[in-house]
Amino acid sequence: MQFPESWLREFCNPPLTTAQLSETLTMAGLEVEELKPVAPPFTKIVVGEIKEAVQHPNADRLRVCKVDVGQATLLDIVCGAPNARVGIRVPVALVGAELPPGDDGKPFFIKVGKLRGVESQGMLCSARELKLADDHGGLLELASDAPLGQSIREHLNLDDTLFTLKLTPNLAHCLSVYGVAREVAALTGAPLKSPDFPVVTVGCSDKLPVKVSAPDLCGRFSGRIVRNVNPRASTPQWMVDRLARCGQRSVTALVDISNYVMFELGRPSHIFDLEKIHGSLDVRWGKQGEQLKLLNGSTVTVDDKVGVIADDQQVESLAGIMGGDATAVSDDTQHVYVEAAFWWPKAIAGRSRRFNFSTDAGHRFERGVDPCQTVEHIERISQLIIDICGTADTVCSPIDDLQVNLPAAGTVNLRVARASKVIGMPLTQAQCVDALTRLGLPVTQSDGLITVVPPSYRFDLQIEEDLIEEVARMVGYNNLPHTPPLAPITAKILTEAQRSPFAVRRAIAALGYQETINFSFVEERWEHELAGNLNPIKLLNPIASQMSVMRSSLLGSLLQVLKFNLDRKAQRVRVFELGRVFLRDSSVKNTDTTVEGFHQPMRVAGMVYGRTDELQWDVKEKGVDFFDVKGDVDAMLAPRKPTFSPAAHPAMHPGRCASVLLDGVVIGFVGELHPKWRQAYDLAQAPIMFELELDAVLQREVPVYKAVTKHQGVERDIAILVDEKVTYAALMEAVWAAPTAGLLRGAVLFDVYRPKPAKDPDGVAVASVEKSMAVRMTLNSQETTLTEDQIDTTVQAVLISLISTLGARQRG
């Protein structure tokens, strides 16, 4: 909410500077988001009147003006503004004046100069040149009674400050200048000037029939007829200025009056053109399919969940949100109907967002507006209409006040001991009573107990904690004691066998991946397709339709990141994420870190697309494949040695997917994207992905000292024929399972050979059922140099293990 400081000080003027007032409001929970001067600094600009304006002898678009600025002589000033004419009063920058800085940031000084041969002794200013507005249509015209020679800053009250408050939803009573002033009076003890609502003279007995058919929508509806108004009347400059400083542009006098009272008192209201109302008004819920053209020009279709004000023929207004175009006041309006109502907050909340717009009125009504002062506020609006738009024939009817369903006044109890415990400082009952009384809350008390009946404008006071908050605000958050924690604090030190998530991030980044951070809320379709989760955890109030469930896999988020980058012509993408997933698990119980029925483990996932390496002349271009990412997983888990086993995963290719095992336990999957999802996401090639349990990745083996042998090692090669289905992991397991008495120090698969396919009698190629695998072994001993017998015995032991375990045959 934005308002000028001067308007606030008309209601309550504490002996505080602007900065002190801002700090007081902020520390009371009314955060001052911005302090901004109404006008930039400038000097020696005064009110002047054009006494003569003649055509410049050497320029068609310039005039030579004689200007009276209250000095003994008139000033000759050359001006090119189209509205420079005799009789108007405008800002005049005298010689030596400093204007606001221009686009280059440098101030502009006024000197005596010549324009096309005519001397100019100053400058006539527009609002844009003074940085008061963006309008550059001509000179800023001032009131005809503006004192000549008076400083413009003083005349237009430009030495003012705009306050912008960032209010929480429970502070609806502060959505007006008077509401903020009420808070300032409570905080500082300065006197509060309460507004008067004199009753205007009733001059006719006319009455517009009104019926409230929906008490759960409207609790009170007040209105009156005002006849013979002048809709073409000009809005007074003081009202235009105040509205502008609240961020509201001037429209017409009648509309400005309604907006002014809303900012002044927090009461949204509406003024109908009486002659455009057909018959009577009915306050009700909408009917399916009814349409209404609004004041903003859009046409909306309502249903039975949206409140409306309708006449005998059509819907005329969205209740509590915006009026309709059909009954809007215009320059031809003669008679008006002024309406002020109490709309139940729950009946207004969220309705305007259904139509993709918001209004100041809806913002206030959905938080709660005082139901007890509709009549008084109509009196205030009526008086302003008479003062600004009144004619000799203007008359007002009596106010028709329908009270059908007002909020019941309840009581809220505050225990002083409870308040002291929650706030964290000792409080006396007298302090609590003083704080609540300063806020204008009616208080009754007994020993240790305070009872409050919240006033009608305080919708936020419902439970004991609400009153405790009010006490804390009045005491001042900056006055709360600084109590250090009493619990012992010990650093959480990781063991050597565990690394931090940050170390994992650095390790993956070193492999050429870039980290992404994504929402835990994802599209339900991803869960069905990519995670095989037909019963995901759904959100009760999703922030968007495509973010309606909690993810059980990180792959959907990474696939979205990949698609986003590919759509922007990225050709090589390598991304990863460390994040939490959410799974149903009935075995999980409620603790400080868990939620009953839900398992929330951390996982690490990555996705690779495009070339293996960046484009370079020394390496032949090659697309990334399964084994590249498998190697990255190996490097990530090193020095632990994972094994890989063929597996199935909903997101991965059925023949190019493997489970990742550590010590025989599955910790994740690695594989190529399934062809049907590649086609669904319109990818030119299949990305390779992995997803692992983070807890397993964090574990690592602590290095153990082994003495370096002093003897020379020996290498021997074995080539065997095995079944095509034998995997590398099975081969290595059989090699290391051989009884070698510790002489086998290393084994590396260095060759895989498949013979050319043979052809059957029909000439059709037949795939080989065997392949050749060659292993190079390193043998050594800690005690002595190996003999040929020891070497042959060790090689034979490995060969026997391969034959017995894999059914291998030594290749000749």
Side-chain angles (χ1 to χ4, degrees), residues 141-458:
E141 298 188 25
L142 306 174
S144 58
D145 58 350
L148 294 177
Q150 184 183 33
S151 168
I152 285 294
R153 303 195 70 88
E154 180 182 351
H155 177 66
L156 296 180
N157 191 23
L158 299 182
D159 293 320
D160 200 354
T161 304
L162 298 182
F163 277 62
T164 302
L165 302 188
K166 188 177 181 180
L167 299 176
T168 51
N170 63 316
L171 295 174
H173 59 286
C174 296
L175 286 170
S176 65
V177 178
Y178 178 70
V180 177
R182 191 165 46 202
E183 288 286 310
V184 172
L187 292 166
T188 63
L192 175 67
K193 179 183 177 182
S194 298
D196 295 326
F197 303 106
V199 178
V200 301
T201 302
V202 175
C204 67
S205 59
D206 296 348
K207 178 180 177 182
L208 178 66
V210 178
K211 178 177 66 174
V212 178
S213 301
D216 56 338
L217 166 66
C218 178
R220 184 175 186 179
F221 193 95
S222 305
R224 90 169 345 147
I225 293 172
V226 182
R227 292 193 176 277
N228 303 316
V229 298
N230 176 19
R232 299 174 186 267
S234 298
T235 306
Q237 191 60 43
W238 60 267
M239 182 177 285
V240 172
D241 291 342
R242 283 189 171 175
L243 288 174
R245 293 173 189 182
C246 289
Q248 178 69 52
R249 66 178 181 86
S250 175
V251 184
T252 65
L254 289 170
V255 175
D256 291 346
I257 289 169
S258 177
N259 289 332
Y260 180 83
V261 173
M262 178 179 68
F263 288 113
E264 180 186 42
L265 305 173
R267 165 71 60 190
S269 59
H270 188 60
I271 300 178
F272 295 84
D273 187 325
L274 180 64
E275 295 180 313
K276 297 178 182 177
I277 298 176
H278 308 94
S280 60
L281 293 181
D282 186 10
V283 182
R284 58 173 174 81
W285 293 106
K287 298 176 183 178
Q288 195 71 37
E290 287 184 317
Q291 290 190 330
L292 169 65
K293 184 178 180 181
L294 298 170
L295 289 173
N296 63 7
S298 63
T299 300
V300 298
T301 302
V302 303
D303 55 24
D304 59 355
K305 302 297 182 183
V306 179
V308 300
I309 302 176
D311 60 19
D312 293 345
Q313 294 186 10
Q314 62 187 8
V315 174
E316 300 293 0
S317 175
L318 277 184
I321 299 174
M322 184 182 288
D325 181 69
T327 54
V329 294
S330 66
D331 288 347
D332 298 323
T333 298
Q334 293 184 347
H335 316 301
V336 297
Y337 180 74
V338 182
E339 164 264 311
F342 165 68
W343 307 99
W344 284 97
K346 288 184 179 180
I348 304 301
R351 274 32 177 213
S352 61
R353 287 185 287 278
R354 294 176 62 181
F355 305 115
N356 296 320
F357 66 85
S358 61
T359 63
D360 287 326
H363 182 74
R364 287 163 172 77
F365 279 125
E366 66 183 8
R367 286 159 172 75
V369 175
D370 187 0
C372 293
Q373 288 204 310
T374 57
V375 171
E376 290 82 352
H377 293 167
I378 285 182
E379 294 288 2
R380 170 66 168 156
I381 295 171
S382 302
Q383 188 61 60
L384 288 172
I385 291 175
I386 292 172
D387 293 343
I388 298 172
C389 303
T391 66
D393 300 323
T394 300
V395 292
C396 297
S397 73
I399 294 177
D400 183 21
D401 184 24
L402 300 178
Q403 301 183 32
V404 293
N405 183 23
L406 295 180
T411 60
V412 184
N413 294 324
L414 171 67
R415 293 166 291 175
V416 177
R418 172 68 175 165
S420 298
K421 182 177 180 180
V422 172
I423 295 175
M425 66 179 291
L427 291 170
T428 65
Q429 185 161 332
Q431 283 179 295
C432 296
V433 170
D434 175 65
L436 298 175
T437 303
R438 280 190 286 142
L439 285 167
L441 307 180
V443 171
T444 58
Q445 56 180 315
S446 57
D447 188 20
L449 182 69
I450 301 172
T451 301
V452 172
V453 179
S456 56
Y457 58 85
R458 292 301 299 267

Side-chain angles (χ1 to χ4, degrees), residues 711-727:
H711 306 284
Q712 184 174 349
V714 177
E715 292 183 346
R716 290 290 185 270
D717 296 344
I718 294 178
I720 57 173
L721 293 171
V722 295
D723 190 278
E724 180 66 37
K725 296 181 180 178
V726 173
T727 63

Side-chain angles (χ1 to χ4, degrees), residues 635-651:
M636 187 195 323
L637 295 173
R640 301 184 78 187
K641 296 188 180 299
T643 58
F644 299 84
S645 176
H649 188 284

Side-chain angles (χ1 to χ4, degrees), residues 53 69 355 435 440 591 612 679 740 754 794:
V69 293
F355 305 115
T591 68
T612 304
Q679 182 179 8
T740 61
R754 293 177 176 85
T794 302

Side-chain angles (χ1 to χ4, degrees), residues 13-36:
N13 189 13
L16 301 175
T17 65
T18 299
Q20 291 171 333
L21 179 58
S22 170
E23 177 69 11
T24 300
L25 288 172
T26 297
M27 295 311 299
L30 284 75
E31 180 186 353
V32 179
E33 191 173 29
E34 183 183 20
L35 289 176
K36 180 181 177 182

Side-chain angles (χ1 to χ4, degrees), residues 27 423-427 472-482:
M27 295 311 299
I423 295 175
M425 66 179 291
L427 291 170
R473 290 199 309 116
M474 291 299 105
V475 170
Y477 295 124
N478 53 334
N479 293 325
L480 299 181
H482 298 282

